[in-house]
Amino acid sequence: MTDAAILKKTPPSLPILARVFFWIGVMSFGGGLSGWIHRQVVQKYGWMDNDDVLSGIALAQVLPGANVTNLCVYVGYRMRGTSGATTCLFALLAGPTVICVLIAMAYHLLQDYPVLQACVDGVAAAAVGLNMRLGIIGAQRVMPRIAPTLAMIATFLAVGVFEWPLVPVVLVIAPLSVAAVWPRGARDA
Amino acid sequence: MRDDSTFSLYMSLLAVFVPFSLVAIGGGGSIFAPIQRESVDVQHWITGREFVELFAIARVSPGPGSMLATVIGWKVAGWGGALVATAALFIPSSILCLGVAKVWNRYRGRDWHKALETGLAPIGAGLMFAGVVAILKLAHAGPFAWGLAVVVALILTWRPKTHPFAVLLIGAVVFNIQLWLAH
């Protein structure tokens, strides 16, 4: 079955992809972009079915990189191949790149106001809570199994407590962790 | 026209963010600890205080939270730096993703998909907690910030549908009340 055969309709053109992903990027205040992409691509435009996008979300989470840009690349690739993926990625990032620098510039001008300082501290603390929640979701998924739990704790201790460099830590722990859960007698390599 | 020093700043941004792009398992939040260490302690691009500010700015901006790299790039080398850092953080992982997406489609639902997912997920979770610790170590309010972060995590566990922007707003309001009470 070819990729095109899995798709429900004729894939959208590149300019349409660019427009839709540009607005997803700009409107995505507060995060939750993967939810946005799912809503637009499946529910609003019906370009892909639910399972296809969920499979993309799983892939996006497994691979390194921001989950949302990975999902965006996946959707773009399924629609229009490599040029679709490139279009979606640049369209998604264009708006937010400009907006976050403008916000940083505005903050730079106004940073002497204590109210703004307190806002920044409060937002930072709450945003840390958002990340903590993501960590908890991940922890709940791995806790029942011993090897993944050990991998999680080892990663946290190495990077968070001992402050060892990330790249070598991941390069050592990732293969061990995957090997520990590798299916015995796998059908394919 | 760019002079040598701007060019070398672009090069250091690339040297820092490209490798992080390829090990950010579990999303951008997983590399906040090493980004903090590199940009504050190693490269001395920004102070710890500035890191917390940029982290908050990236969070209230649209786009992925890892646009933290974009604002750090801007702080280091202006608009050019913002573009270089954004490209350095997002393009390598996207190329990898594109490559894997091609293979992935051909082998849907195989056992090794599951093994990769189960084997890499705990690393993402561990890195996420490491990022939490790194940022809270820098935050000024100390125990107060820790408390708020834990409360936010509990709210989201209890009410998963809460909009992320709502809890960011709560954070800003709570810290302003604290500021007001301190006077």
Side-chain angles (χ1 to χ4, degrees), chain A residues 135-160:
Chain A
I136 292 169
I137 292 174
Q140 284 170 335
R141 274 174 52 198
V142 304
M143 283 308 233
R145 305 182 67 170
I146 294 168
T149 306
L150 289 177
M152 177 181 74
I153 294 170
T155 308
F156 169 69
L157 289 178
V159 177

Side-chain angles (χ1 to χ4, degrees), chain A residues 94-178:
Chain A
T97 301
V98 173
I99 295 170
C100 74
V101 173
L102 292 179
I103 293 178
M105 291 169 102
Y107 176 76
H108 208 65
L109 293 174
L110 303 170
Q111 61 181 337
D112 293 333
Y113 292 95
V115 170
L116 204 61
Q117 296 267 348
C119 284
V120 158
D121 283 330
V123 166
V128 166
L130 294 177
N131 283 8
M132 205 183 271
R133 170 67 189 139
L134 288 178
I136 292 169
I137 292 174
Q140 284 170 335
R141 274 174 52 198
V142 304
M143 283 308 233
R145 305 182 67 170
I146 294 168
T149 306
L150 289 177
M152 177 181 74
I153 294 170
T155 308
F156 169 69
L157 289 178
V159 177
V161 179
F162 302 130
E163 308 199 349
W164 291 345
L166 175 74
V167 178
V169 167
V170 169
L171 289 181
V172 170
I173 296 179
L176 291 176
S177 177
V178 173

